[in-house]
Amino acid sequence: MVIMLADDIIIRPENYGAILFHKRKGTMIEIDKEAYDFVRYIKKEEIIDTLEWDSKAADQELHLFIQQMVKEEFFLKLPTGILNKKTNVYKPMGDMTTQINTSSLSAPETVHLAITWRCGNKCWDCYIERHKDQIKREMNTKELLKVIDKISDFGVFQIAVGGGEPLIRDDIEEILSHASHKALTIHLTSGRHDISDELLTILGRYLTVLQIGIRNEELLKPQGKDVENLCRIADFMKKANTVIGANVIVDTYCIEHFDVMINTLEMIGFQTITLLRYKPSVDKESFNRFRPSYSQMIRFKQLLTERVQMNRDISYRIDCSFAFLEKDMTEELAEYRGIRGCVAGSRIISVAPDGSVYPCSQMVGRDYKAGNLTEDSMEVIWEKSEVLINQRKYKCSEVFKNSICGSCNAKGYCGGCRIFGEDEGQAAEYCMEEKL
């Protein structure tokens, strides 16, 4: 087989090997030191021929690794015979199955960057309302561009731009242009369904993914103005080669009308559907009323499983607080699929509109503040912040170890969501372990 490293692949060394990031797809693969040596060899030689390998065990491991990399489009398979020289025949050295220890990365994989908390939609299920009173200041353009510089220079792969409503900022084009110039892959989430063609042109120029927040009730009106606007947005983004995705809040209404909603999203042309757990909001009455029960969560899992099997062209994703839905898989399969449960502070961080840094967009407030990027460096925050350090090792606490999560076989790739409990011991709320 003749192979080469695909374009737009970023290689970031780590203490266990490296992370490979596919800029065009926004996907990542973690590799150990032996695989990292092989990838560096390919990058150096540009094109290599693997046809003359011996049939040793190490070679077989490498064959499997190459097959996965070709499948995920990190390697490109070229026509046999393209090479004439023998110098590009790789001789594998060492075992390709070294255990990867990813407890501490050199930098976050993704930074969730809230550029404003302003928004005119006033959605009753918006969790941002919980934080607005704590942070009132918003970075100006100059400050925000400097923060983006710090994020990029530290080795972060991608930013997820959000809010509030990010498109409400007059400097949105300058922000996206600067992030793109700094070689960051950009995802943006908007709740607007009336984005103008002019603004869509700007988004298509810089974004890898545009996620649209869906108002569930509107999907039951397939002939309505909302669906018409979403069709226009989806069509526009596809022509710009930007992935168009839908963010869907999984509440009781969603589960009750799940099939109809998904049918409408497929008809509109969404390529990814991200299912988000219903988070606590300021409106406690509505939260308790629309919060799914245990039996409804079981039903949701069944509906989602059927949908995934029915349409392989749609990429379904669930947020990390839904990790318990996948707890029946093996640890090896979870690692292969990159499922790790809560990655707050260990693989992601969240930056608020004033530059404050938190483990994730849900863990916001004085007790969770790790620093501020308008004042501190990424290095100091990432490596020295007690908030982030403690978050990375919360599974080592006695409270967690003695909890349902801590005694579960899936604790390595689940562990519950700390937003749904007062401490690590209550993180298993909604977990199905004792009821299945």
Side-chain angles (χ1 to χ4, degrees):
M1 184 189 301
V2 180
I3 56 175
M4 66 179 291
L5 195 65
D7 293 334
D8 292 332
I9 303 298
I10 296 177
I11 305 171
R12 193 176 81 188
E14 297 290 345
N15 58 5
Y16 55 82
I19 298 177
L20 306 185
F21 177 71
H22 200 307
K23 282 181 60 65
R24 177 174 55 82
K25 298 179 64 178
T27 55
M28 283 166 268
I29 289 182
E30 292 178 284
I31 58 176
D32 62 19
K33 292 179 180 179
E34 286 73 28
Y36 178 35
D37 287 341
F38 177 61
V39 171
R40 284 192 297 176
Y41 180 84
I42 295 180
K43 184 176 182 180
K44 175 177 176 290
E45 297 292 339
E46 296 185 350
I47 301 175
I48 71 165
D49 192 342
T50 64
L51 291 176
E52 297 187 15
W53 289 349
D54 300 324
S55 58
K56 297 184 294 187
D59 299 347
Q60 296 305 311
E61 295 288 350
L62 194 48
H63 274 296
L64 293 175
F65 171 68
I66 290 174
Q67 289 173 6
Q68 179 192 2
M69 297 291 278
V70 170
K71 179 181 178 181
E72 301 293 337
E73 299 180 28
F74 282 78
F75 290 171
L76 299 181
K77 184 178 178 181
L78 304 177
T80 303
I82 196 170
L83 290 176
N84 295 318
K85 57 182 181 178
K86 299 290 186 179
T87 55
N88 283 31
V89 178
Y90 180 75
K91 292 295 184 181
M93 312 220 7
D95 184 8
M96 302 292 291
T97 61
T98 304
Q99 182 68 34
I100 294 178
N101 177 10
T102 59
S103 58
S104 180
L105 299 182
S106 63
E109 295 172 344
T110 304
V111 170
H112 293 257
L113 181 60
I115 59 177
T116 183
W117 275 345
R118 289 178 289 145
C119 180
N121 285 338
K122 300 185 182 300
C123 300
W124 57 268
D125 57 353
C126 179
Y127 64 82
I128 293 298
E129 293 294 333
R130 302 200 318 259
H131 314 320
K132 281 187 174 180
D133 290 340
Q134 301 178 60
I135 300 174
K136 298 184 180 294
R137 183 178 174 276
E138 185 176 291
M139 288 182 285
N140 60 37
T141 305
K142 184 177 180 180
E143 289 174 316
L144 191 47
L145 298 189
K146 286 184 177 180
V147 165
I148 290 173
D149 287 342
K150 290 182 178 182
I151 292 170
S152 173
D153 294 344
F154 195 60
V156 174
F157 297 126
Q158 55 189 351
I159 57 172
V161 178
E165 174 50 64
L167 300 185
I168 209 169
R169 285 193 62 137
D170 294 334
D171 56 356
I172 186 64
E173 182 174 9
E174 187 174 0
I175 293 168
L176 298 180
S177 174
H178 187 75
S180 176
H181 177 72
K182 295 294 293 185
L184 286 164
T185 292
I186 310 169
H187 301 232
L188 185 142
T189 297
S190 171
R192 287 178 53 178
H193 297 182
D194 59 349
I195 307 174
S196 68
D197 287 356
E198 180 182 3
L199 189 48
L200 287 174
T201 300
I202 293 171
L203 299 181
R205 190 178 301 146
Y206 301 114
L207 300 186
T208 297
V209 179
L210 172 62
Q211 291 285 131
I212 299 294
I214 300 300
R215 294 187 278 274
N216 293 351
E217 66 279 2
E218 295 297 331
L219 295 183
L220 299 187
K221 308 171 188 176
Q223 306 304 320
K225 187 66 176 178
D226 230 45
V227 171
E228 180 183 332
N229 279 333
L230 290 174
C231 288
R232 177 181 58 85
I233 292 171
D235 184 60
F236 203 108
M237 287 295 97
K238 287 179 181 178
K239 290 178 180 177
N241 292 319
T242 298
V243 175
I244 181 71
N247 283 354
V248 179
I249 302 293
V250 181
D251 56 13
T252 56
Y253 188 91
C254 169
I255 297 173
E256 181 182 353
H257 302 285
F258 189 77
D259 283 332
V260 175
M261 289 176 56
I262 297 300
N263 286 339
T264 304
L265 291 173
E266 290 181 356
M267 179 272 294
I268 290 170
F270 284 102
Q271 296 159 293
T272 66
I273 297 176
T274 301
L275 298 156
L276 304 171
R277 190 170 171 184
Y278 185 22
K279 309 297 193 305
S281 60
V282 171
D283 188 346
K284 294 183 180 179
E285 181 180 346
S286 294
F287 177 70
N288 290 327
R289 192 173 84 184
F290 291 103
R291 186 184 198 180
S293 65
Y294 167 75
S295 60
Q296 288 171 320
M297 293 300 291
I298 292 290
R299 178 59 179 154
F300 168 63
K301 182 177 181 180
Q302 294 169 340
L303 291 169
L304 178 57
T305 300
E306 292 169 3
R307 273 290 167 176
V308 171
Q309 295 172 348
M310 187 185 305
N311 190 345
R312 300 286 183 177
D313 294 331
I314 301 290
S315 174
Y316 289 92
R317 301 172 182 175
I318 58 176
D319 75 10
C320 55
S321 61
F322 269 141
F324 63 86
L325 293 175
E326 302 177 288
K327 63 195 302 301
D328 54 347
M329 69 174 57
T330 65
E331 189 171 351
E332 292 75 19
L333 182 58
E335 182 176 346
Y336 175 78
R337 292 183 176 176
I339 298 169
R340 299 181 180 87
C342 179
V343 294
S346 61
R347 292 177 177 272
I348 66 168
I349 56 172
S350 176
V351 179
D354 69 340
S356 296
V357 176
Y358 302 97
C360 79
S361 57
Q362 296 292 323
M363 302 172 72
V364 173
R366 185 179 306 160
D367 294 340
Y368 295 119
K369 185 174 178 180
N372 189 298
L373 278 175
T374 62
E375 305 164 356
D376 308 315
S377 70
M378 275 289 294
E379 181 179 9
V380 168
I381 293 174
W382 184 249
E383 297 178 1
K384 306 294 184 183
S385 166
E386 288 296 323
V387 169
L388 299 185
I389 292 172
N390 290 335
Q391 173 62 21
R392 291 166 195 158
K393 61 183 183 182
Y394 84 90
K395 290 183 181 181
C396 298
S397 71
E398 290 302 316
V399 176
F400 179 83
K401 289 179 180 179
N402 294 324
S403 69
I404 294 175
C405 287
S407 59
C408 175
N409 292 332
K411 60 180 178 290
Y413 56 92
C414 182
C417 179
R418 301 178 72 187
I419 296 303
F420 290 88
E422 295 179 5
D423 56 40
E424 294 92 332
Q426 297 181 15
E429 189 257 9
Y430 272 152
C431 187
M432 304 174 186
E433 174 70 15
E434 296 187 327
K435 301 180 182 180
L436 287 179

